[in-house]
Structure formats: structure tokens, C-alpha cells
Amino acid sequence: MNLLQGHFAGFHRSSEGSPMISLMMQHLLPLATLLLLSIVPTETKVVASVAQCNEFFLAQTPPNIPGILEGGNIKDQNRYKVICQTLRNIRRFVTLYDTKNRIPVFSAAEYRGGGEGKRSFWKIEPQLENPTSDANMTPAENIIYTHQAGDIDYSNLGQFEKGHLFPSSYRSEEGDKRSTFTLTNAVPQRKLFNNGRWNSMERCVKCILDKYCINNKKQREGFVVIGAQPSSRFFLNNRINIPSVLWSAFCCYSQSQNSWLASAHWGENKDLGPKYLETKTLGELHTELGIEAFPGTKCPNDESVTQLYSEPACKSHCRQ
């Protein structure tokens, strides 16, 4: 007879009118609690390590962001929070969030194809305010949040708008699209920049992902990381940092090209600028901005996909 069986046997023998019942219950309740905790699955949305959301990175390897995220280690865990963006109890993508500047450092996910979807209401991450809150993103209330941006912070936008980092058009399932409408995936973008050269870049990258990122299993598969570099002194409504630069990178294996494909884009968050963002290599992104988007993978660092822009598949989407 093992210890647990002994407890229950003792309880059975003393269960008829015995004062030992309450004493035995005091011993059994903590044991029962431990047993339940060991079998009930738990899920959190704001997590301590990017490793807990690594399914959204190529080769399960997060990018290196100097001074913020290096070798998978967050340098300041009090300030930067990993969010496994969750909607309807399903993880949709991952964001590293800066609770001081109240903007994301980056958002990332695997690309499987997508199209234009309906606009959704904007949401927030409740666990940034209370770690014990529900794991799902919730509708933003008309209040000021301590550790993240809220709808009230995006009032009186002027020449700015709430700009997605990871766009809804890069997601296929409707729930995935709706999940991108969270303020932890948004930054203040100049309207002309967001609707002009940044939008053109997103459409070009999407075309390359759709037409060329088909793997050996005939499945569309690519990985995308999109981020923002904060400015040193510009804030929207004295609350939300207005990033100085936005950047985007993707990588995939292409069966038709029999090679890995990768490119990067970035641009200053301002109205005036070139009509189109220049396509760069991952190596140039590392040299210019210090960002390693896909470290330790097979993604080419010294080649971009500009040779595909003249091909009929994406010629109309990728003008230079």
C-alpha cells in the first residue's frame, strides 16, 4: 500500500463519526491541489522568454536587436515584454513590446498566404497591465493604460495614423487578420509614408511570398519580421514614441528558384522621401541598422530578390 492509498484507507476507516476527518482533509487537500496543477494545462500570453513563442521564427530563432534582444536573451525584462499574441485562445503571431515607449520593437510570424480582410476594432494586451489577466487580447477601453498604448493615446492624430507592423493582409484566416488589430502591433506612422512607399513595399513583398515562396511540399511558406526603431525625443500626445525608422525582412525557401530567398526594406517615418523603398540585403540591414533578422539560418545575407522584380509574376507590384 503506497502513501496515498494509506491516506484514503485511513480516511475510510475513520469516516463514520470520527474527529479524524477534518485532520485527514487538511492533509489531502494540498496533495490534491498539487495533483491537479500537474495535469491542468496552463497558457500565458505575456511570457518571460522568446523561446516560449519561437514557433513564429524561422528555425525557431529570434532576431538579434542590439541592446534589446541578443542571442534570444532580453536585456531588460522589466521594459521589454514578449507577447504571444492570442485571440480566441489561439496564438497568432509574436511581438516584442517596449513598455516604456509603448510601441512594439518587432512583430513576427510565418507567412502562409493572405488577402485583404475586414477592418476590426483595436485591442490591447490585458496581461501587460495585470499579469494574472486572461491570455486573450481584449477590446481597448477609453482609458489610459500604464504599460501600453490605448485608443485614447491615438486621438488627435493629425498627420499620423495607427500603422500596423505585421499587416492583416499577410494573414490568411479571419481570426489571424483580426488579431493584427492590436495596439501592441501598431506605431504612429506618418500618413504619406504609411499609405505610400511603405504600403508599396508591403504589396511587393507579399507578391514575392505568394509567387515564389513555395517549398518542396508545394506549400506556401515564408517568415517575416517587421520592426520599428524609436526616435529619441518625439512622442504622440506625450505618450507614444514616434519611431524614426521602420524596417521589414523576409526569408523563405523557393522550390522554383532552388534556393533560399531573402530581402530587407527600411525607411524613415516621414512624409518626404523616395517614391519606393529600395530593396536591400539582410547583410545591409545588419550593417546599417544593426539588426540580424534571421541569425544562424540559411537565409542569404548578400543577395536580395530584385532579380525577380522584372519577372511577369510581380512586375506590376515591385517597381523600383
Side-chain angles (χ1 to χ4, degrees):
M1 182 182 294
N2 61 33
L3 180 60
L4 183 58
Q5 289 173 328
H7 273 302
F8 279 106
F11 176 77
H12 177 73
R13 287 192 298 268
S14 59
S15 60
E16 294 291 338
S18 170
M20 290 185 65
I21 293 177
S22 60
L23 178 62
M24 296 304 299
M25 289 298 292
Q26 290 177 15
H27 287 286
L28 285 171
L29 285 175
L31 179 60
T33 301
L34 288 174
L35 289 173
L36 285 172
L37 287 175
S38 68
I39 61 175
V40 175
T42 60
E43 179 181 16
T44 59
K45 189 176 180 184
V46 176
V47 295
S49 169
V50 289
Q52 294 173 265
C53 297
N54 62 11
E55 68 266 29
F56 300 108
F57 302 118
L58 176 61
Q60 299 185 342
T61 304
N64 284 327
I65 313 293
I68 298 175
L69 178 64
E70 299 177 1
N73 298 312
I74 301 173
K75 295 300 182 178
D76 185 349
Q77 292 195 8
N78 291 323
R79 175 175 178 176
Y80 300 103
K81 302 295 183 179
V82 182
I83 306 173
C84 304
Q85 299 281 13
T86 305
L87 180 65
R88 300 170 188 166
N89 296 316
I90 298 174
R91 290 182 173 188
R92 311 289 179 163
F93 62 102
V94 61
T95 295
L96 182 62
Y97 194 75
D98 181 348
T99 61
K100 180 179 178 180
N101 284 319
R102 299 184 181 89
I103 60 171
V105 177
F106 67 77
S107 290
E110 184 179 7
Y111 181 89
R112 290 287 190 176
E116 297 299 329
K118 296 180 181 179
R119 294 188 64 83
S120 180
F121 56 85
W122 286 93
K123 295 167 277 291
I124 57 95
E125 175 47 65
Q127 289 190 342
L128 286 179
E129 305 303 311
N130 183 355
T132 64
S133 295
D134 184 81
N136 291 278
M137 57 183 70
T138 59
E141 299 180 17
N142 192 33
I143 61 175
I144 294 177
Y145 296 97
T146 303
H147 303 296
Q148 62 191 305
D151 256 349
I152 196 171
D153 298 313
Y154 276 94
S155 60
N156 302 317
L157 286 174
Q159 297 302 310
F160 293 92
E161 59 187 13
K162 287 176 284 194
H164 283 75
L165 280 194
F166 206 94
S168 62
S169 62
Y170 282 19
R171 311 305 286 149
S172 55
E173 196 267 327
E174 187 61 29
D176 288 344
K177 291 180 179 295
R178 291 180 182 275
S179 72
T180 65
F181 286 86
T182 171
L183 292 171
T184 53
N185 181 49
V187 297
Q189 284 189 351
R190 299 288 296 192
K191 290 181 179 179
L192 293 180
F193 173 70
N194 188 32
N195 297 316
R197 51 193 181 278
W198 187 255
N199 181 61
S200 296
M201 178 276 296
E202 288 180 337
R203 292 179 179 275
C204 173
V205 170
K206 185 179 186 309
C207 184
I208 297 295
L209 290 165
D210 283 337
K211 304 298 184 182
Y212 295 100
C213 292
I214 311 297
N215 61 25
N216 289 331
K217 296 180 180 180
K218 308 296 184 181
Q219 297 175 334
R220 183 176 291 112
E221 181 185 48
F223 288 84
V224 183
V225 185
I226 305 173
Q229 289 196 330
S231 61
S232 59
R233 57 188 178 90
F234 296 107
F235 286 80
L236 181 66
N237 294 323
N238 296 316
R239 286 268 301 167
I240 311 172
N241 188 278
I242 300 172
S244 57
V245 172
L246 273 71
W247 57 271
S248 174
F250 78 90
C251 181
C252 71
Y253 178 77
S254 172
Q255 184 193 45
S256 65
Q257 302 300 305
N258 191 30
S259 64
W260 285 83
L261 305 177
S263 283
H265 298 82
W266 64 87
E268 293 183 79
N269 186 18
K270 61 183 185 180
D271 289 335
L272 298 178
K275 188 174 182 180
Y276 300 105
L277 295 178
E278 187 176 352
T279 302
K280 302 283 190 175
T281 66
L282 297 182
E284 290 174 307
L285 177 67
H286 186 203
T287 300
E288 295 294 325
L289 300 185
I291 296 164
E292 291 182 275
F294 305 101
T297 65
K298 296 181 180 179
C299 302
N301 285 313
D302 55 356
E303 296 179 2
S304 71
V305 295
T306 52
Q307 78 278 6
L308 300 175
Y309 291 176
S310 60
E311 298 294 324
C314 293
K315 188 175 182 178
S316 62
H317 296 279
C318 300
R319 301 182 181 91
Q320 291 293 299

